[in-house]
Amino acid sequence: IARRVALGTVYYLVFLGVIARLYGGWFAAAYIVYPFLEQCVMLAGINWVWHAFLDPDDVENEFVQSITILGGTINVLNEDAHVVHHQYPGVHWSTHPKLMMQHAAAYGDKVGSVFYGTHTFEMLALILLADYDKLADRFVGRMPPNAAAELFTCGTHDKDAVARPTCPVSHDEAVELIKGRLRAIWWGPRAKHTDAKLLSKECGQAFTRAHEWDQSGAIGWETETQARDAKGLPAAAEPSPGADKPRRRKTSHAD
């Protein structure tokens, strides 16, 4: 792997040099260097933060493995409800708050990776700097009843009017919990278990519960019948037999 990484790095640098030579340094910086920093480095860091934590006692615990941010300042397409993103892959992002609250109790039971008033860039910096105290300051560990209605926004809610959600564990306990979850290892040479099931490719897939077309609207989508019932409208008329059959054009002798 190290050899392939080294060769790839050399290839990239040679390619960068050729482009800079042919089209100029500014062009190479704008179209080669910047996309690399944004698409590879920055997004890799963000993706890692979404899944930086791991329950050492239950590595498949998605409520810990994926973070949830309440009152986040950068909540793009409700990605701050990242557990829902894995629990219901494919559902429309507008349903995330509702689905998040359907499993509110599980976040508390698992002391989930729920944080308040932060964003992925800040968390990336705090984790890399090992600033566990500030991470613990933002740690909530549960899903408050008003999470979807008042806290799950792009940081636009009135923080003075809404009480900050409390944490079920103390600050010191949160620090130790965060340390343990950041240092836990699921697979690889440093993993402390030999469970073949946990090391398989299928491990971690059981958490997925539904797709947007499943459960007849139970995950946030309404069926046509449910929508009519909610509005008090009569049921749609059944199509008459043969209504969908194509009609033949009448012909005449003139044709």
Side-chain angles (χ1 to χ4, degrees), residues 237-248:
E238 292 292 334
S240 59
D244 294 332
K245 293 182 179 180
R247 296 181 179 180
R248 292 184 178 180

Side-chain angles (χ1 to χ4, degrees), residues 48-49 51-59 61-68 106-115 127 132 135 139-142 167-169 173-186:
W48 178 72
V49 169
H51 316 99
F53 300 91
L54 196 65
D55 186 345
D57 300 319
D58 181 8
V59 295
N61 180 0
E62 193 73 37
F63 294 98
V64 170
Q65 188 182 131
S66 294
I67 66 172
T68 299
Y107 288 85
D109 294 340
K110 304 289 186 178
V111 193
S113 299
V114 182
F115 294 83
I127 292 172
Y132 302 114
L135 285 169
F139 185 70
V140 176
R142 66 185 184 91
C167 181
V169 298
E173 289 174 326
V175 167
E176 294 304 316
L177 193 67
I178 290 170
K179 284 182 180 180
R181 291 176 173 181
L182 285 174
R183 296 171 182 176
I185 300 173
W186 183 338

